[in-house]
């Protein structure tokens, strides 16, 4: 009987010690968690207080913005004095002036409209009087004794008239148009095409009518 009771007593002592340790650990965990809850609760109360203050500030600022929009500040803008334009010398050309109005309703300085430069007028006149490409091609082919290709014609005319842009494709189409009108003759040598000026027959002078043979006026 004594041997049986001894192991049971030892086992009970072990369980008792373990339970006591668990209870102590549990109590410590409760204290720790309670302290954390208190800390978080204090932080929550501080955040709630800050939220209330910020909400009040937001409402106050919103009221101030509404009042500012309802009564905008008036800023006095000085008007720009009107300046007199200088008299333009008489040059035979009419000069139109433009008037620009500012946002305040005052007129600014009148600026004369830009006149057409004389160089542009001279350029337009020169373009109107210079010979056409058809005339240049016919003149060139008349002066040449040998057939000329479209590329050769374009190169020669481009060197003689550097102010003009003469392309081979344009020359070829122009010469073909002259061929269709029988003003230029076309010959083909292999895969190359050459052009020569067509021989224009000399006009036959009309026979003079004797004065006696002329019909009398009724």
């Amino acid at each position: 009987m004594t041997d049986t009771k001894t192991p049971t007593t030892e086992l009970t002592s072990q369980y008792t010690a373990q339970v006591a340790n668990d209870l102590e650990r549990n109590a410590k965990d409760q204290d720790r968690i309670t302290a954390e809850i208190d800390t978080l609760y204090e932080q929550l109360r501080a955040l709630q207080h800050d939220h209330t203050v910020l909400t009040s500030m937001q409402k106050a600022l919103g009221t101030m913005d509404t009042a500012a929009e309802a009564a905008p500040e008036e800023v006095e803008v000085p008007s720009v004095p009107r300046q007199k334009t200088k008299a333009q010398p008489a040059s035979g050309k009419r000069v139109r002036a433009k008037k620009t109005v500012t946002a305040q309703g005052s007129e600014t300085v009148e600026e004369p409209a830009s006149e057409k430069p004389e160089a542009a007028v001279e350029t337009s006149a020169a373009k109107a009087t210079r010979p056409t490409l058809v005339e240049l091609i016919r003149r060139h082919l008349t002066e040449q004794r040998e057939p000329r290709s479209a590329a050769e014609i374009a190169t020669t005319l481009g060197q003689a008239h550097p102010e003009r842009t003469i392309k081979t494709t344009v020359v070829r189409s122009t010469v073909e148009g002259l061929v269709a009108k029988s003003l230029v003759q076309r010959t083909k040598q292999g895969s190359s095409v050459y052009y020569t000026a067509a021989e224009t027959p000399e006009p036959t002078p009309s026979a003079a009518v004797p004065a006696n043979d002329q019909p009398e006026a009724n």
Side-chain angles (χ1 to χ4, degrees):
M1 294 296 292
T2 305
D3 297 336
T4 305
K5 293 182 180 180
T6 302
T8 304
T9 305
E10 293 179 356
L11 183 62
T12 303
S13 300
Q14 293 178 359
Y15 279 120
T16 302
Q18 184 176 355
V19 170
N21 292 333
D22 291 341
L23 287 173
E24 184 179 1
R25 187 181 304 109
N26 184 279
K28 291 181 179 180
D29 291 339
Q30 289 185 23
D31 294 339
R32 177 177 56 80
I33 294 174
T34 302
E36 292 178 357
I37 292 174
D38 292 340
T39 303
L40 292 175
Y41 183 71
E42 292 295 332
Q43 293 179 359
L44 178 61
R45 290 182 58 186
L47 290 174
Q48 291 176 347
H49 176 71
D50 293 342
H51 182 270
T52 304
V53 174
L54 292 173
T55 303
S56 302
M57 292 177 63
Q58 185 181 25
K59 291 181 179 180
L61 292 174
T63 305
M64 293 176 61
D65 292 339
T66 305
E69 292 178 359
E73 183 180 359
E74 296 182 358
V75 180
E76 183 179 358
V77 180
S79 60
V80 180
R82 182 176 180 180
Q83 300 179 0
K84 297 182 179 180
T85 57
K86 297 181 180 180
Q88 299 292 336
S91 58
K93 297 181 181 179
R94 297 181 62 186
V95 179
R96 293 181 299 176
K98 296 181 178 179
K99 292 183 179 181
T100 57
V101 182
T102 61
Q104 290 80 15
S106 59
E107 297 180 356
T108 60
V109 182
E110 299 179 357
E111 299 178 356
S114 59
E115 298 181 359
K116 189 175 182 180
E118 295 180 358
V121 178
E122 294 178 357
T123 304
S124 301
K127 289 182 179 180
T129 56
R130 69 181 182 181
T132 61
L133 182 60
V134 175
E135 296 175 352
L136 292 177
I137 293 174
R138 292 191 61 186
R139 186 184 306 169
H140 174 70
L141 293 178
T142 303
E143 295 174 354
Q144 301 298 320
R145 297 182 180 180
E146 298 180 356
R148 306 283 289 178
S149 64
E152 293 174 342
I153 297 172
T155 302
T156 304
L157 294 180
Q159 294 175 355
H161 303 277
E163 74 281 358
R164 303 181 64 164
T165 303
I166 301 176
K167 297 182 179 180
T168 304
T169 54
V170 179
V171 171
R172 183 178 293 109
S173 61
T174 304
V175 177
E176 290 295 334
L178 295 175
V179 171
K181 296 179 181 179
S182 301
L183 298 176
V184 173
Q185 294 180 352
R186 176 176 57 187
T187 57
K188 191 173 183 180
Q189 298 179 5
S191 58
S192 302
V193 179
Y194 296 91
Y195 303 93
T196 56
E199 296 180 358
T200 55
E202 297 181 357
T204 57
S206 58
V209 180
N212 296 332
D213 295 341
Q214 293 182 358
E216 295 180 358
N218 294 332

